[in-house]
Amino acid sequence: MKINKFLPLIAACFLLAGCVEKEIIDDVNIETGIGYDLKEKEEFEGTIMVPIFKPDKNIGNFTYSATATSSRDLLQEIQRKSAQPIVTGSLEIAVFGEEMAKNGIIEVIDSFERDPSIGARVFLAVGQENAKDILTGTYGNRGNGIHLSDLIRHNMENKNLPETNLHLFLFDFYQKGNTPYLPILKKVEPEVIEIVGIALFSGDKMVDTVPPDKMFFFKLLTDKFSKGSFKVNIDSKHAAIKDLKSKHKIKLVKRDPYKILIEIEIEGVIREYTGEMLKPATIKKIEKNVEKQVNEEASKLIASFQEQGIDPLGLGHFVKSKTRGFDYNKWKDDYKNLIVQVKSDAVITEVGVVE
């Protein structure tokens, strides 16, 4: 009897499966990357990147460009230039030219939200100068879309880039007391793309950047766990520290005026030291210098955010969660006067040879 109850459901699954529209890979152009560059007035130039699968199993790249006023118009314009239908189900990355990012990007991203074939984990990035240059070229041997998404993923997992994707951008954008951020890409050689910083947004408009040498400190403040690296000076020498594990905790210490304490715990290893053999006293000194540098650099970043009225750390959202009757209108003034203390605790767990 139980089997009979589920028979209609099983039959419906088979019938619905037959309704799914099939697309043969050789008969479509698969969009793996898209770029937007601001033109005059409300127009933008859109560039769609598709992989070309060659008989020798190498993957080439081809781009289509057109001018439009909306993502839908762009796709229609480019469909008229393509011999096969363009499908969006494999989109890996969307890149916005710098001018486009400064002008506002939420209208374009809104089209991503409404397209069920585009996943929430698609990467978004800002192209230093313009997006078309980023998408036009040949990087690696797996196609440009895969290469650029691997570039961002690798730097999130092993370097100083904080976690980012379409879902996280939209969460920060719509969440009061948060402001979003995106990685910045630059073509440094004809076949090499590099991450050259982090773009900071106010609403959907890019207003500032975090340079590469400050990204480590930014990641310590925004990600729970970091695997970045940075250099610390000690006397006339320097040591390269690789961060193995870190986490931060935010505490609301006081109200009226608001005061916040950010505690950062770092466990790292010394990968390089320009001096002679490391002694325990030297290691202690390096730990203190790491803490001092982290406290200073993190405090400078936060002060800069307060001055510009942007909140990529989500401090407004944090204070709201701790305050009954929280008023965001009043918070705009309170945020500028917010007292933030950064206190770090660094532990070197491995140094190689010790005297």
Side-chain angles (χ1 to χ4, degrees):
M1 290 295 288
K2 287 184 178 176
I3 293 174
N4 289 339
K5 275 177 65 179
F6 291 106
L7 277 177
L9 180 61
I10 296 170
C13 289
F14 278 109
L15 288 171
L16 289 173
C19 296
V20 175
E21 188 177 348
K22 292 181 180 177
E23 288 173 333
I24 300 170
I25 193 168
D26 290 334
D27 293 341
V28 296
N29 276 329
I30 302 170
E31 179 189 11
T32 58
I34 189 166
Y36 300 90
D37 289 303
L38 188 66
K39 302 290 282 186
E40 293 182 358
K41 296 181 179 178
E42 296 180 352
E43 287 187 337
F44 60 81
E45 183 182 28
T47 302
I48 285 179
M49 179 172 61
V50 298
I52 305 296
F53 300 97
K54 298 179 180 178
D56 60 1
K57 297 185 180 178
N58 284 325
I59 301 177
N61 303 281
F62 193 81
T63 55
Y64 298 92
S65 293
T67 301
T69 56
S70 70
S71 288
R72 180 170 293 277
D73 289 342
L74 171 67
L75 195 58
Q76 289 178 351
E77 288 293 323
I78 290 183
Q79 292 281 21
R80 294 197 296 123
K81 298 179 180 181
S82 173
Q84 287 87 30
I86 292 176
V87 295
T88 59
S90 296
L91 185 67
E92 295 278 343
I93 185 168
V95 183
F96 301 91
E98 195 170 323
E99 288 303 314
M100 183 86 181
K102 289 177 179 175
N103 193 58
I105 59 177
I106 196 62
E107 286 187 15
V108 172
I109 293 179
D110 180 72
S111 65
F112 296 166
E113 291 182 83
R114 298 175 192 282
D115 188 343
S117 69
I118 295 179
R121 295 182 184 276
V122 167
F123 291 123
L124 307 179
V126 173
Q128 196 174 64
E129 298 178 357
N130 67 65
K132 189 174 182 178
D133 277 352
I134 301 292
L135 300 184
T136 307
T138 301
Y139 317 119
N141 54 11
R142 300 178 63 191
N144 286 355
I146 298 291
H147 177 85
L148 294 176
S149 62
D150 283 349
L151 172 72
I152 292 176
R153 189 176 297 107
H154 152 66
N155 277 274
M156 287 193 315
E157 294 173 355
N158 303 301
K159 294 295 177 183
N160 299 338
L161 181 65
E163 196 171 351
T164 174
N165 58 34
L166 172 61
H167 168 74
L168 294 173
F169 181 90
L170 289 173
F171 178 83
D172 289 340
F173 176 77
Y174 288 116
Q175 179 70 61
K176 280 188 175 180
N178 268 16
T179 51
Y181 49 86
L182 293 176
I184 304 173
L185 305 180
K186 181 182 181 181
K187 182 185 279 191
V188 291
E189 292 180 28
E191 296 183 349
V192 178
I193 297 292
E194 183 180 346
I195 296 173
V196 294
I198 296 171
L200 303 170
F201 287 75
S202 175
D204 70 330
K205 294 180 174 60
M206 174 180 159
V207 294
D208 197 10
T209 63
V210 176
D213 61 331
K214 310 294 182 191
M215 284 173 58
F216 175 81
F217 308 104
F218 185 77
K219 181 162 182 168
L220 285 178
L221 292 167
T222 53
D223 273 8
K224 284 188 176 178
F225 296 97
S226 172
K227 288 184 180 178
S229 60
F230 79 116
K231 185 175 74 174
V232 60
N233 296 319
I234 172 168
D235 300 328
S236 59
K237 305 175 180 61
H238 74 263
I241 310 292
K242 181 174 175 58
D243 172 29
L244 291 180
K245 182 180 176 183
S246 67
K247 61 181 179 181
H248 68 269
K249 187 183 292 183
I250 304 177
K251 295 179 179 176
L252 181 58
V253 178
K254 195 176 76 168
R255 295 183 177 85
D256 196 22
Y258 287 108
K259 181 178 180 182
I260 281 177
L261 172 65
I262 300 179
E263 294 177 330
I264 304 174
E265 295 179 13
I266 306 167
E267 289 184 12
V269 298
I270 296 178
R271 289 298 188 203
E272 181 183 337
Y273 177 60
T274 56
E276 298 178 354
M277 192 172 288
L278 278 165
K279 298 178 180 177
T282 311
I283 296 168
K284 281 289 176 192
K285 201 168 183 179
I286 290 174
E287 289 175 341
K288 292 297 176 191
N289 280 16
V290 169
E291 292 170 1
K292 183 183 176 188
Q293 195 167 339
V294 168
N295 294 346
E296 288 179 356
E297 296 292 346
S299 297
K300 285 180 189 174
L301 283 174
I302 294 167
S304 170
F305 301 154
Q306 290 178 270
E307 189 178 337
Q308 298 178 77
I310 58 176
D311 190 2
L313 309 187
L315 298 180
H317 177 63
F318 169 77
V319 174
K320 175 186 175 293
S321 68
K322 304 288 183 186
T323 307
R324 185 172 293 176
F326 184 79
D327 183 354
Y328 272 115
N329 293 324
K330 185 172 180 297
W331 172 250
K332 290 177 183 176
D333 292 327
D334 289 341
Y335 180 59
K336 291 181 180 176
N337 300 320
L338 177 68
I339 301 167
V340 183
Q341 181 186 2
V342 180
K343 184 179 178 184
S344 62
D345 180 20
V347 178
I348 302 296
T349 58
E350 188 182 323
V351 298
V353 180
V354 182
E355 184 177 83

